[in-house]
Amino acid sequence: MIRSDRRTLMKGGMALVALGGMPAALRAQGAKPALLIYDRRFATSLQLAEEWAGQGIAILDPREHDLGLAWQGQIPSLLASGGAIAGATLWSDRFICETFARGHGRTRLLHDVPMPGAGGADLRHWAIA
C-alpha cells in the first residue's frame, strides 16, 4: 500500500515545481545546454530529459552509453557548437563529466543543486560551461 499523507503530497508537488523551473533557470543564465546527462532510474531525471529532448537538446544516459567514450567523441562535438553541459544525475556521473570537461576547457560550474523526488538518493541538477 502506498502511503499518502500531506507531507508526501507536498514533497511531490515541490518536485514538480522544481522540475518545471530548471530549464527556465538555465535559459535565464544564458546557458542553453548542448547536452543533458540524465539517469532514467529516477523519474524526476527522466522527466527533465524528456522535456529537454522535446526542445531539441541531446540527451544521454550513462547506463546506456559509456561516459568516457562519449567524452571522446559525441560530447566534444556537441559542445563545439556552444552551450553548456547539464545533468540530472548522482554525484558520480557529475564528477566524471566535471573531470572530462576540464580537459575541454569547461571549468565553470553554473549550478549544482539537489533534485527533489529522488527517493532518498542524492540526485543533483548541475550545469558546466
Side-chain angles (χ1 to χ4, degrees):
M1 181 174 177
I2 298 174
R3 183 175 174 216
S4 180
D5 58 17
R6 184 171 183 227
R7 171 176 262 156
T8 303
L9 292 173
M10 293 290 289
K11 285 171 62 176
M14 290 180 355
L16 289 174
V17 168
L19 274 176
M22 284 182 207
L26 266 180
R27 283 191 296 274
Q29 293 176 11
K32 180 179 178 185
L35 171 70
L36 174 77
I37 308 293
Y38 73 103
D39 191 328
R40 77 173 48 250
R41 297 175 295 180
F42 302 100
T44 54
S45 182
L46 182 58
Q47 279 182 298
L48 186 61
E50 289 169 349
E51 181 177 339
W52 280 118
Q55 295 179 33
I57 304 299
I59 59 173
L60 185 140
D61 183 347
R63 267 121 313 276
E64 294 179 9
H65 305 284
D66 183 272
L67 269 178
L69 293 176
W71 273 101
Q72 293 174 12
Q74 177 188 8
I75 295 175
S77 64
L78 287 169
L79 293 176
S81 62
I85 179 170
T89 66
L90 299 174
W91 72 270
S92 55
D93 291 327
R94 193 209 80 204
F95 178 76
I96 291 168
C97 287
E98 199 171 8
T99 302
F100 278 108
R102 272 189 234 119
H104 293 277
R106 304 291 181 124
T107 58
R108 198 175 88 204
L109 187 64
L110 297 175
H111 68 270
D112 179 13
V113 296
M115 280 186 80
D122 189 21
L123 192 64
R124 313 287 298 176
H125 185 259
W126 51 269
I128 300 169

